[in-house]
Amino acid sequence: MTSQAVARSRELFDSGWSCAEAVLQAIAEHKGIEIGRIPRIATGFGGGLAHTAGLCGALSGAVLGIGLALGRDAPDEPADACYRAVRALRDGFVSQFATDRCLELTGCHLGTPEGQARFERENGHARCLEFVAAATALALEAIERGTPADPRQP
């Protein structure tokens, strides 16, 4: 159930995983995908691409999760389902929050001491929980709509 995955992503984020790591791990668990490098492969995406104020880490983790579920295993396989799902995820996220950029979402540049202090002072973690939950839910919805008829997919 999607609500359980959303709750799990929030739990992971609250326990200290980054936004990207939490979303990817929750999606992987929900889809029954076990790969030893999760959430490790999402670490660099946290805080708007390594605290550079770029693409939201929760959204990045969700894109990785979609790739796990709908990505291709060979270059001659179609990528259409994955691309459609990623576009639906991004469109839904931007529709809900008006942007996909960490700096605009949080109002803080997490790559600076001032931005980190403001994030703490203004309880940015609570705001980011919204992004984590939304990215997880939107990704899982997009995966369900875009799942190819392939028995290899979990």
Side-chain angles (χ1 to χ4, degrees):
M1 176 159 268
T2 300
S3 62
Q4 291 171 328
V6 169
R8 178 69 173 142
S9 67
R10 294 173 63 94
E11 173 188 321
L12 289 162
F13 186 63
D14 274 342
S15 73
W17 291 106
S18 77
C19 47
E21 295 163 337
V23 172
L24 176 59
Q25 182 66 37
I27 292 170
E29 288 176 9
H30 181 77
K31 296 301 289 177
I33 299 169
E34 294 183 29
I35 299 173
R37 299 292 186 203
I38 297 173
R40 183 182 193 104
I41 61 172
T43 300
F45 292 96
L49 194 57
H51 288 176
T52 62
L55 184 66
C56 170
L59 191 57
S60 297
V63 170
L64 291 169
I66 289 172
L68 282 176
L70 300 177
R72 53 194 195 153
D73 294 311
D76 61 338
E77 293 178 358
D80 298 347
C82 185
Y83 289 168
R84 276 192 309 273
V86 170
R87 282 192 302 269
L89 162 71
R90 185 193 174 274
D91 291 349
F93 193 88
V94 170
S95 175
Q96 190 169 346
F97 299 111
T99 186
D100 61 6
R101 314 305 293 171
C102 180
L103 178 61
E104 295 166 10
L105 290 163
T106 64
C108 309
H109 191 305
L110 296 172
T112 67
E114 300 81 16
Q116 290 180 7
R118 181 175 180 188
F119 186 82
E120 290 298 319
R121 186 175 58 250
E122 296 179 4
N123 195 14
H125 181 86
R127 180 82 172 121
C128 286
L129 269 172
E130 293 178 50
F131 310 137
V132 165
T136 303
L138 289 165
L140 289 171
E141 290 168 13
I143 289 167
E144 294 309 315
R145 283 193 309 268
T147 301
D150 182 340
R152 294 174 300 155
Q153 296 296 324

